[in-house]
Amino acid sequence: MVNEDSQGSIRRCYLPHHPVVKKATTTTKVRVVFDASCKTSAGVSLNDVLLGGPIVQEDLRSIILRCRTKQIMLVSDVEKMFRQVIVRPEDRPLQCILWRKSPSESVRTYELNTVTYGTKPAPFLATRTLQQLAMDEEGHFPLAARATMEDTYMDDVITGANDVETATQMQIQLNAMLSRGGFQLRKWASNCPAALLGIPEENLAIRTSDGINLDPDPSVKTLGLTWIPSSDILRFQFTIPSLNGDKVLTKRSVLSVIPTLFDPLELLGAAISTAKIFMQLLWAIRDGNKQSLGWDQPLPPTLGKAWRRFHEKLPLLNQAKVERCVIILEAVAVELHCFSDASEKAYGACLYVRSTDADGKVKVRLLSSKSKVAPLKCQTIPRLELCGAVLAAQLYEKVRTSIKTTVSGYFWTDSNCVPRWLQSSPSTWTTFVVNRTAKIQTITGGCRWIHVPGTQNLADLISRGIPPQDILEN
């Protein structure tokens, strides 16, 4: 609380705030949201004059890719992370609130002493503090420091190891190291219960006394997936809005559904491609006056009927199950096999991990995929195949740098032109081909490009798109 006598001598900024109630969460059901973007009497908000700071953590896609290569996965989150980071006293007057404990009391001014959610630099300040803690304590907690620097996304720790001993040590070190900085880890989960030894019951995401239940905490959903530790299976939780039969379909209503299909690794890429193709069609369609279709204009009957067929099957995607770990136990060799393909509608690539153990047993699993719709400007199929090959190379580069494992790379395409272009000097082709072949050759140097029959090309479905019901048993 601020001393009333000092109010007039200090310039202050007051933040509007309101509660957000989330009944589904098992921990903090009421969260306070502060609006630092609200304009002041001068017409400028606090966020307008603050710098956001750079991104200092790895992106979500890289972290998820890496966690799928570990035999044992560990998940936790930092409790009230922002509120554990102190703000300098001279900056606190810029984050004031008006508050009273009961209607009978007078309204008083309070300064928020810690990093406040809703201010522009809050994510940077909190994550940078975590990283500084890791740098300071790396000598005492090497495993925890690496997990904090590489496998932490905002306040979520998503890491793992390949053996129980390392996983257990990582868990112990993470708890000890973060407690030195005033942070507490909670909602621990692992597919190996032994790795959670010593963690209090109240800090477990799935409590044994309650049976095996999925924790519906939003921090788990930030992965875009639901992970079931007991079976080590990834599932999806798309919230698909219902579509009444008499509801008028518009571009606005359709495009509001497509972004809900958040799949960071595009494990359901073949069905997602269908949605992307439909999205492009909506932007390209014209009305009777040859104008772009308005946001709230009804869709043509043919398009509306096609969307309804696709939309009613979307909830089936929540039934899809994916094995989390893609590498065989005690692997001695790991290969990345990337397939690319193109059609007149879209082009894409899918990447599989092939791992082998000392006994010769082989495990092959889909790790990730990527797709793009074909440009509206008509392109030949060979050129689109080349674009698909670029996408495959970029996907391979992303995976290779993310998983940080020694791998061999193989690329598969059913195009006869792409291998020819890649085997020749880029200077002998047109500018379109030169730019793309040079990029592919730079990324995939040392890898093999192999021709595969079109009927055996695993990227064929991604380039054409399929309805949701066809992906479940594919």
Side-chain angles (χ1 to χ4, degrees):
M1 187 175 67
V2 174
N3 186 348
E4 300 290 342
D5 297 333
S6 65
Q7 291 251 30
S9 60
I10 300 176
R11 298 182 66 180
R12 301 184 180 277
C13 179
Y14 291 83
L15 305 180
H17 55 97
H18 63 275
V20 172
V21 180
K22 292 188 176 182
K23 297 181 179 179
T25 183
T26 58
T27 52
T28 311
K29 295 185 180 295
V30 179
R31 298 177 185 269
V32 183
V33 176
F34 298 89
D35 185 8
S37 295
C38 180
K39 302 293 184 183
T40 64
S41 57
V44 179
S45 71
L46 178 62
N47 279 345
D48 289 338
V49 296
L50 290 176
L51 296 176
I55 297 174
V56 294
Q57 292 181 319
E58 291 204 42
D59 61 283
L60 178 62
R61 187 181 177 90
S62 297
I63 294 174
I64 298 178
L65 285 169
R66 192 158 48 249
C67 82
R68 293 197 69 199
T69 64
K70 305 296 183 183
Q71 297 296 324
I72 299 173
M73 184 171 169
L74 287 168
V75 172
S76 181
D77 75 52
V78 184
E79 182 179 15
K80 300 175 183 176
M81 181 174 74
F82 286 13
R83 288 304 184 197
Q84 312 312 312
V85 182
I86 296 293
V87 172
R88 288 160 52 119
E90 55 266 37
D91 294 329
R92 294 172 190 173
L94 295 176
Q95 43 183 39
C96 291
I97 62 169
L98 297 175
W99 180 255
R100 60 182 178 182
K101 294 182 179 180
S102 70
S104 61
E105 294 184 3
S106 301
V107 175
R108 294 182 179 274
T109 297
Y110 289 82
E111 289 180 355
L112 302 177
N113 296 336
T114 57
V115 169
T116 300
Y117 183 80
T119 56
K120 187 187 293 186
F124 166 75
L125 294 172
T127 54
R128 180 64 181 83
T129 301
L130 271 185
Q131 294 204 342
Q132 186 63 50
L133 176 63
M135 288 186 278
D136 293 343
E137 301 292 343
E138 184 176 10
H140 299 96
F141 308 102
L143 294 176
R146 188 175 73 247
T148 302
M149 296 292 290
E150 298 179 357
D151 298 334
T152 302
Y153 185 77
M154 287 302 292
D155 59 348
D156 291 322
V157 181
I158 310 158
T159 188
N162 287 320
D163 59 84
V164 179
E165 183 178 355
T166 304
T168 305
Q169 282 301 311
M170 184 176 290
Q171 173 260 120
I172 294 172
Q173 287 189 21
L174 278 167
N175 275 316
M177 187 187 79
L178 265 68
S179 66
R180 287 197 177 187
F183 299 101
Q184 181 179 350
L185 288 170
R186 59 175 184 173
K187 298 180 189 175
W188 280 96
S190 176
N191 58 308
C192 177
L196 302 178
L197 192 65
I199 296 178
E201 183 83 3
E202 62 270 17
N203 288 337
L204 295 176
I206 301 174
R207 301 178 184 180
T208 55
S209 59
D210 300 333
I212 299 178
N213 295 306
L214 276 179
D215 179 12
D217 186 84
S219 63
V220 176
K221 294 178 185 177
T222 59
L223 301 178
L225 303 167
T226 295
W227 176 49
I228 308 174
S230 58
S231 55
D232 205 13
I233 293 293
L234 297 174
R235 297 192 66 174
F236 299 84
Q237 280 190 328
F238 300 129
T239 304
I240 311 297
S242 59
L243 192 63
N244 298 325
D246 57 347
K247 182 179 180 180
V248 177
L249 290 177
T250 64
K251 184 163 73 172
R252 187 189 304 275
S253 63
V254 171
L255 293 183
S256 67
V257 173
I258 295 176
T260 64
L261 305 177
F262 178 65
D263 179 10
L265 298 187
E266 290 199 30
L267 298 174
L268 305 177
I272 303 295
S273 286
T274 305
K276 290 181 179 179
I277 293 169
F278 200 91
M279 180 189 295
Q280 186 190 55
L281 188 59
L282 288 182
W283 285 110
I285 197 171
R286 296 290 184 268
D287 60 16
N289 299 321
K290 296 185 179 180
Q291 299 294 320
S292 295
L293 193 68
W295 281 100
D296 298 309
Q297 284 183 255
L299 298 187
T302 306
L303 271 182
K305 187 176 181 180
W307 175 254
R308 288 184 187 277
R309 284 199 305 268
F310 179 76
H311 185 278
E312 69 180 8
K313 299 297 182 182
L314 280 178
L316 294 176
L317 294 178
N318 289 330
Q319 299 178 19
K321 297 179 181 180
V322 180
E323 188 177 348
R324 179 197 60 83
C325 185
V326 297
I327 296 181
I328 198 169
L329 184 64
E330 297 181 350
V332 295
V334 179
E335 300 171 352
L336 300 181
H337 291 261
C338 207
F339 293 77
S340 64
D341 193 29
S343 71
E344 294 178 351
K345 297 180 179 179
Y347 56 91
C350 53
L351 188 144
Y352 288 78
V353 177
R354 183 183 189 271
S355 54
T356 311
D357 65 9
D359 296 328
K361 295 180 181 178
V362 176
K363 181 176 182 178
V364 181
R365 293 293 183 272
L366 174 68
L367 178 59
S368 184
S369 69
K370 195 71 177 173
S371 65
K372 288 187 177 181
V373 292
L376 291 175
K377 182 181 178 181
C378 187
Q379 297 281 1
T380 62
I381 292 298
R383 283 193 169 194
L384 291 174
E385 293 277 9
L386 184 60
C387 291
V390 172
L391 205 61
Q394 292 172 336
L395 178 61
Y396 166 79
E397 183 180 37
K398 178 67 175 178
V399 169
R400 182 175 55 82
T401 56
S402 297
I403 64 176
K404 301 179 181 179
T405 302
T406 303
V407 294
S408 302
Y410 299 85
F411 291 83
W412 304 79
T413 176
D414 56 18
S415 169
N416 291 315
C417 295
V418 170
R420 258 188 82 196
W421 281 328
L422 294 175
Q423 290 167 6
S424 305
S425 173
S427 60
T428 60
W429 306 108
T430 63
T431 304
F432 182 95
V433 176
V434 166
N435 292 338
R436 286 155 182 80
T437 52
K439 184 179 294 186
I440 294 171
Q441 289 170 345
T442 301
I443 295 175
T444 66
C447 300
R448 290 182 59 192
W449 279 86
I450 309 167
H451 182 270
V452 61
T455 55
Q456 299 177 21
N457 191 346
L458 301 179
D460 178 70
L461 297 179
I462 266 200
S463 66
R464 302 177 188 277
I466 61 174
Q469 65 270 24
D470 290 352
I471 205 170
L472 295 182
E473 301 299 331
N474 188 282

